[in-house]
Amino acid sequence: MKHYPSLVSNILLLILLTTTSSLFAQTKVLKGRIINEKNQGIANASIKIPDLGIQLYTDSLGNYSLQINNKIADRTVVTYSFLGKETESREYNLQKINSFPAILLKNSTFALDEITVQAKQGQKSNSSLLINRDMIERYPSLSLNDILNFLPNRRIMAPSVQSMQNVNLRGAFAETSGSARNVNQMNNAFGTAIIMDDMVLSNNSNMQSRNPNITGLSRANLSVSSSDYNIGGDNIASNYSGESAFGGVDIRQIPTESIENIEVISGVAPVRYGDITDGAIIVERQAGSTPAFFRLQTRNDATSYGMSKGFKLSPSLGHLNLDLSYVNSYADNRDKLKQYERINGSAIWTIRYGNSDKWKQTISGTYNKTLDGVNKDPDDPESTAVTFGGWNYSVSSRLSYQPNGSFLKHIGFNIGLQEGHQVSYREYYYNDAYVLYTDTTGTGVVEGTYDTGQYTAINHIDGRPISINGRLEANAVAKLAGLTHYLNFGTNVDYSKNNGLGRISDPSRPNKGIGQYSERYYDYSLLHPSWNIGFYLEDRINAKLAGKPLNITAGVRMDLQNGHPSISPRTNLNYKFNDHSSLGLAYGLGFKSPSLAHLYPGPTFMETILLNAYNGLVNESTNRIFVYRFDPKSEQLKPQFSQTLEATFRYAKDGHHLAFNTYYKANRRGFNSTSFREIIELPKYEAIARPGEKPLVEQIGSTKYFIRPSQILNANDIDNLGFEVMYSTPKIPAIYTSFNIAGGFTSSANQDYYNSEKEYNGEGSDPKDITIGIYLPLKRKNFFSQGRMGSSTHFPKLRLIVEMIADFQLINVQKTVKSQYYPLAYYTRDMEYVAVDQFDINNPQHAFLYDQRKKEFEEANDKGNLLYGNFHLNVAKEIGDKLRLSFNVYNFLDYQPRIRRSSGTSLSVLTPNMPPNYGAQITYKF
């Protein structure tokens, strides 16, 4: 904190100097025009100048004008776009031109000689990738997740909404089994922001989970086994959950019908994006006047409908854009037990007013409703039924003013509200002789209550998340020290609260699947909200080095996240050393605050039965139960953070495009639940029976017990090292075909903070048996590599595209460091703690612990790598300018490799590829 005053002073001095220097600058007005293929002006076409934060629109004749400072404006990129047209970008030296040339925007159709086959370079960072509308329309998709198949080092999956969909960027994660999720993967998704129309879709107020201090963070989600809805196979997840607390936003909720483009930032993001550690997905939806758009898609397990239309209300009322979509999907269409159903609707109203339309306001409203879960089997009265559902809406206002002065170019004020209602529900049926429970909420020895053992226990979680975020920022341009500076500065505020009923638990109907733990009602609405406040300044400079363009973007963020301050410097350097090639270097820090679910997991209740004298008659029975209440402290939980260093190389010449990124990303203070073992001594009781009345209870001594409270802490570090590559060839005229490759490699080294444990000899009786071994904190290394090769055959005159992709998993292994074999200490059955100060392989206890750990890790490391491929086909055909047909097959060769995988003495045969998944789509514009 002691450096803050000097930093703020320097920022204010820079702004003062740039403002003063701009007062004496002269200005000029540049005019331009945007036309179509008939040389007609295009009304309401967009002109964006990212460096200045300016967005202009053409008038009814396609004309526009821009006022610039002719002393300081130099090389500037201008982007021209209009819905249904190919986007064009031009670079100008604004000091040397007196007007903009006319820009021709061609219709975006398959009749064009060139089409987009890979994601393009984005504008927000050196390695960001842009997926445009043409690609979104060409490939059938059920949600945003399906479009992200274009990213390198990512396995291509068939479009589906039957599993949770979080975004992970630049990480390698170990496989999990059962209901467990990989905590590192959850932290990566939690640190990846989803930003739609410049408003963050926050998951900070999502609290849909069981108590993570009972189940562990990896198993806190309410889940159901796939066998409960009659689905099986080694290529099917063994458990399903519709909850995404502790992770990222479930992007199954985001339809693609209205998306204009997607920019993916995997590296160092601009400083205006805060509360992130692992990247951002930036989604821009259609607004303004657009043709009516209808899309129908059917797949093996899903049907979707979507439609949208943009209207011009009047010159004074602006434009209104509406869209509606619906998806219905079953895991198995034969029995229809597991279902996912989603309906989305949105309205975007855009109005421009004031002199020369300098004021622009966009008001957006979005509604989403989801029905997700497993229905009860009508043929099985004891079958499982589980529900994950709810609704949410968001409203936002984006107000911008473009003074277009000599210094200040743009002022923006955004404010948005998200609110929802989430419900998770599952029933458990018990048929026992009796149940013994207590509903006490404090620590101590109490007498419990006997009741009938035939009952239904429930997990019922009611969440009502609320998120409010706002941003005030400005863009300016000035000249200082002979260089042009494009400034972006501002502040943002995020507020998160959950007013849900919480975890609705009835202690008289306990869930017996959680061991010695028990649950109590936990009201979310009583919890404190979380606040994140940030300030940022970024300076972009277009300079020259050895006569070649050098672009420098440098900025800093200052954040206060739930009371924890942080400073995040970030920079992107890009040097174009010839007409075809460029090098980039980027460095940055990012911080992600814990969510409400991390901060407020709720109290934990552990119960130990000291006496149970039950003879079948309640009035002649008694008991004693020790209840231990543990209240975790959230104040010590700090934001997780990352530090990224990235280098990029890009080459483009004669239709050849190559992009190569290599990176090192250090993630620190990752969240996880950690337990601490304690020994307590409790009374030992004896009951003396008395006919017709409760027994007499006497204390006859004491017994030692373990208690093991758990809480969420900053618990691990990860070092990620890897590369990504994308390459595409020009079209070969003789065969109308171009080729492309994409892939990458990631190595992730994980280091836990706290010692690990392993239990042994659970069935023995010798008091000196080793029952618990204590070892060093775990160190693991995960390696992942995915590569694909594709061909795109394009016949412009036929308006036909045929694309084939061969997708290969090259590496997917986990290795545990051998130094983890050595024990630190152990407990015996009589609860004696024995430290291993000096390891001795000749000591029987030391050798036992070493051999057991070595066997465990060698079996895990012997699983080996899974190397296999898959093959996909996509065909798209245009009929005229209005009708487009698409046909897509995942695994169109029905390639089913059988892979033998060993683990110690066991052997399994895996079939990693899913059966063919067919999809057809009709798109009609009118």
Side-chain angles (χ1 to χ4, degrees), residues 677-713:
R677 192 178 295 273
E678 300 178 24
I679 297 176
I680 59 173
E681 195 162 342
L682 297 175
K684 184 177 182 179
Y685 294 103
E686 180 182 66
I688 302 173
R690 296 188 297 173
E693 55 183 319
K694 283 184 175 294
L696 290 174
V697 178
E698 295 182 355
Q699 182 176 343
I700 57 174
S702 62
T703 304
K704 292 180 180 179
Y705 293 88
F706 279 124
I707 60 169
R708 199 178 181 187
S710 176
Q711 66 183 108
I712 298 177
L713 298 172

Side-chain angles (χ1 to χ4, degrees), residues 433-450:
Y434 69 96
V435 63
L436 173 61
Y437 71 89
T438 176
D439 58 5
T440 186
T441 57
T443 298
V445 178
V446 299
E447 182 177 7
T449 301
Y450 294 103

Side-chain angles (χ1 to χ4, degrees), residues 56 66 120 125 155 159 314 335 382 416 497 516 548 565 580 584 603 619 621 625 639 660 819-820 824 903:
L56 307 173
L66 172 69
K120 298 180 178 180
S125 76
R155 182 184 178 188
S314 72
D335 59 22
E382 295 185 358
K497 183 78 168 68
Q516 72 174 120
K548 302 297 183 181
H580 314 294
N619 63 336
S621 304
I625 304 173
F660 179 82
S819 62
Q820 308 299 295
L824 298 176
S903 178

